[in-house]
Amino acid sequence: CRLHSQYYKAVSFIVDDPESLRKAAEIFDSISSYKDSAQKAEECRQRAEEIIAEKKRIEEERRIAAEKKKKKTVRISIITAISAVVCTAIALVTVFVIIPAIKYNNAMTDVENKNFDEAIAIFTELGDFSDSTEKIKEAKYRKAEFLSSEQKYYKALTVFSQLGDFSDAKEQYDKLLLRLKNILSRLCRKLSLL
């Protein structure tokens, strides 16, 4: 009867918990001669080891998964940081190089198309980009030459006078002034003959 009650007590400890299974194995060992107690003791020890091994495997899988997740997070962070740097670089190059270069080329085209005021405005807006300050003077000089060729002498004189020492602006100013004096003197002579 005692063996019977010990046997069923041991059976009640057979659950999926290593400690309970070890306790059951101990009880079965104490009554190893009763029924299949020896076999049950071995089964309990084996099952306890399987559960421990399974828990270790699961813990290892979780650790590996956590490590992989951490590596993935680091990779994503690095990729995000690199992307941010690249986007910033692209934005900076666009704002400080590409757009000004396009505007500069448009201003050069405006000079060629005799849209001098537009070109001067663009070169002024560009400030220190490339040789924009020099191109302002060049555009004004070409504007003055164009005005002179269109016989808009007063406007041409005004523009030449703004150029100071640029190229031969002073000589052009003096030539144009002399030309105007000659034109006025001829006009005065014609008027006096009337």
Side-chain angles (χ1 to χ4, degrees), residues 8-117:
Y8 284 104
K9 182 179 179 185
V11 168
S12 71
F13 281 109
I14 300 176
V15 292
D16 280 345
D17 172 53
E19 279 305 308
S20 297
L21 288 167
R22 282 190 196 121
K23 191 162 198 127
E26 286 175 16
I27 296 170
F28 281 126
D29 281 338
S30 71
I31 57 167
S32 60
S33 61
Y34 184 73
K35 290 187 176 185
D36 59 351
S37 293
Q39 182 185 345
K40 291 272 189 208
E42 187 55 37
E43 287 174 4
C44 286
R45 275 191 285 281
Q46 223 174 18
R47 181 66 187 136
E49 287 176 22
E50 288 172 5
I51 291 171
I52 290 170
E54 181 66 15
K55 283 183 179 181
K56 284 181 180 178
R57 185 190 63 76
I58 290 170
E59 285 176 17
E60 182 63 14
E61 284 178 0
R62 285 182 182 157
R63 186 193 63 75
I64 290 169
E67 204 173 281
K68 284 181 181 179
K69 185 177 180 180
K70 184 178 178 183
K71 285 180 182 179
K72 184 178 179 182
T73 302
V74 168
R75 263 195 314 266
I76 289 171
S77 296
I78 290 170
I79 290 169
T80 302
I82 290 170
S83 297
V85 168
V86 168
C87 288
T88 301
I90 289 171
L92 290 173
V93 167
T94 300
V95 169
F96 293 109
V97 177
I98 296 173
I99 292 173
I102 291 169
K103 287 181 177 183
Y104 182 91
N105 289 336
N106 289 343
M108 293 298 289
T109 301
D110 284 338
V111 169
E112 295 302 315
N113 293 333
K114 297 178 177 57
N115 297 324
F116 302 109
D117 293 330

Side-chain angles (χ1 to χ4, degrees), residues 185-194:
S185 130
R186 277 184 290 193
L187 189 61
C188 285
R189 271 187 267 150
K190 282 184 182 179
L191 286 175
S192 66
L193 292 175
L194 292 176

